[in-house]
Amino acid sequence: MIPFNYLRADDVAGAVAAVADHPDAVFLAGGTNLVDRMKLGVAAPSLVVDISHLPLDQIVELSDGTVRIGATVRNSDLAAHLLIRERYPVLAQALLSGASGQLRNVATTAGNLLQRTRCVYFQDISMPCNKRDPDSGCSAREGYTRYHAILGGSAGCVAVHPSDMAVAMSVLDASVLVMGRTGERTIRLVELHRLPGDTPDQDTVLGHGELITAVDLPPFPFSHQSAYRKVRDRASYAFALVSVAAALHLGDGSGAPGSPTIRDVRIAFGGVAHKPWRATAAENFLRGTAATVANFREAADVELAQAVTLNDNAFKITMVRNTVASLLAGLTRSQVGDIGGDLAGQEQKP
Ligand SMILES: Cc1cc2nc3c(=O)[nH]c(=O)nc-3n(C[C@H](O)[C@H](O)[C@H](O)COP(=O)(O)OP(=O)(O)OC[C@H]3O[C@@H](n4cnc5c(N)ncnc54)[C@H](O)[C@@H]3O)c2cc1C
Ligand code: SF4
């Protein structure tokens, strides 16, 4: 590891100033991603500003029902919090599907959002990579692409964002509170991460020295009817091949016999793009239709019409479609019971 200076920040303004004043300074939260990258030589900051002792470790409910999560709240504490488990099960499930118990005890909310891609070529400094070294080329394009993007990729980069938590937060319409040199601003979570385009080295819209201070989760009527499903190569301690977060609100009336109508729905995909992928085309297709497996699959296909597969990842199309159908069928079943019809027993089919 290359030598670096260490500074422990005492307050938010001091942390922001310390990083903003040094072009290659970085914030250190739990360190579970940053320190790994420093050991690999992928990151070589001259100054590391430790923000883990800032008073940003609380989860509070605001008067309008918004749940405000401090930037340094640990992933374990967030997943275990009663408000999160009861009101936003999709978030608790996404957190618990990530990393390991030990890592979640250290990893923070903001650090999780800002962890960098696990593309093997990004992590191997002997290989060309536009994200690590702009204009050096993309080794993945002609290499191993099992984990890479099928949506929103560019000629320059087809990496995916690795966070499970971010996918759940995008379904919850979360906002990120950011403090910079010139003051505070709020960014919708779905607009925090970027698609790679010609500048894949920039993961987010944050400027240098901007510190995430909190994430806000607004209330909405069906947030408790939400869930997360992650598909991976082994049952734990693995990043998503694909994942789906969803919240489903069924209407009182019926569609086809045995199939209630979908009043509202929110869907996001993980493991498929450079950012959490909010599936708005699928959502629009489903609103007002009957809650059937056939419609769930068709909605996924509407969203995936724009997908571009690579050498090793065409399977993600089928995997996303089936995961969407499985998750939404499960959410339907949990609201209306064992309804039979074309939902019966179908949600687990490959
Ligand atoms: C073996 C292993 C398996 C894993 N599996 C999964 C998984 O399955 N799913 C998953 O989602 N994650 C997984 N992770 C990633 C893990 O969740 C992240 O490493 C962790 O969430 C990062 O949080 P941190 O606080 O340690 O961040 P740090 O490593 O401290 O920081 C990460 C980045 O965020 C920046 N940063 C941190 N806080 C702020 C802030 N407040 N404002 C601005 N910038 C900030 C840092 O400068 C750094 O660039 C895994 C990690 C490991 C090592
Ligand atoms: S996909 Fe992106 S991160 Fe991976 S090698 Fe190509 S440019 Fe680098």
Side-chain angles (χ1 to χ4, degrees), residues 241-257:
L241 285 164
V242 308
S243 68
V244 178
L248 182 66
H249 184 28
L250 297 176
D252 301 330
S254 280

Side-chain angles (χ1 to χ4, degrees), residues 33-346:
N33 181 243
L34 176 64
V35 175
D36 275 1
R37 280 188 277 120
M38 289 169 69
K39 287 183 194 164
L40 291 168
V42 173
S46 63
L47 173 65
V48 167
V49 178
D50 186 351
I51 59 163
S52 62
H53 300 278
L54 296 180
L56 301 173
D57 60 349
Q58 299 298 308
I59 301 169
V60 294
E61 185 174 9
L62 307 183
S63 56
D64 66 353
T66 295
V67 176
R68 177 160 294 173
I69 304 160
T72 62
V73 170
R74 307 287 168 175
N75 289 178
S76 299
D77 294 336
L78 185 56
H81 199 281
L82 194 60
L83 260 179
I84 302 300
R85 284 191 292 145
E86 289 186 351
R87 198 182 293 176
Y88 305 108
V90 62
L91 179 55
Q93 291 168 20
L95 283 159
L96 292 175
S97 77
S100 65
Q102 292 93 332
L103 283 160
R104 292 193 296 269
N105 286 343
V106 179
T108 64
T109 303
N112 189 307
L113 288 177
L114 298 180
Q115 62 176 300
R116 304 205 70 191
T117 186
R118 310 300 288 206
C119 172
V120 289
Y121 305 104
F122 173 73
Q123 295 184 299
D124 179 349
I125 58 169
S126 71
M127 301 297 291
C129 168
N130 289 325
K131 183 178 281 298
R132 177 172 28 78
D133 185 10
D135 300 325
S136 62
C138 171
S139 299
R141 276 255 160 222
E142 300 302 322
Y144 179 65
T145 51
R146 179 171 166 77
Y147 281 89
H148 288 74
I150 57 172
L151 291 166
S154 70
C157 181
V158 284
V160 298
H161 194 267
S163 167
D164 292 293
M165 185 192 77
V167 181
M169 285 183 170
S170 84
V171 141
L172 299 175
D173 279 346
S175 296
V176 179
L177 276 62
V178 176
M179 182 63 80
R181 254 279 157 79
T182 54
E184 192 171 30
R185 65 176 177 137
T186 302
I187 304 169
R188 292 179 65 218
L189 188 116
V190 289
E191 290 164 4
L192 174 69
H193 300 94
R194 300 176 63 255
L195 291 178
D198 294 334
T199 50
D201 53 311
Q202 293 165 29
D203 292 350
T204 71
V205 299
L206 292 180
H208 180 69
E210 283 195 306
L211 178 79
I212 294 179
T213 55
V215 176
D216 278 356
L217 305 181
F220 64 96
F222 57 106
S223 64
H224 58 289
Q225 293 156 192
S226 63
Y228 187 74
R229 182 78 51 86
K230 176 175 178 177
V231 186
R232 47 192 157 176
D233 277 330
R234 53 174 190 245
S236 72
Y237 213 41
F239 288 90
L241 285 164
V242 308
S243 68
V244 178
L248 182 66
H249 184 28
L250 297 176
D252 301 330
S254 280
S259 299
T261 302
I262 296 168
R263 181 178 292 177
D264 204 353
V265 64
R266 298 182 185 188
I267 305 169
F269 304 158
V272 296
H274 200 252
K275 58 185 290 182
W277 190 270
R278 185 72 185 260
T280 50
E283 294 174 4
N284 291 337
F285 174 88
L286 283 174
R287 281 189 198 99
T289 67
T292 66
V293 166
N295 281 341
F296 298 152
R297 286 181 190 277
E298 195 170 343
D301 286 341
V302 168
E303 190 71 42
L304 292 167
Q306 52 188 312
V308 177
T309 60
L310 303 163
N311 287 343
D312 309 309
N313 69 4
F315 70 92
K316 286 192 178 188
I317 299 273
T318 313
M319 197 174 265
V320 170
R321 182 191 303 125
N322 289 346
T323 309
V324 167
S326 167
L327 189 66
L328 291 177
L331 282 169
T332 303
R333 191 179 296 281
S334 69
Q335 289 173 55
V336 296
D338 194 9
I339 60 170
D342 79 344
L343 282 173
Q346 289 193 28

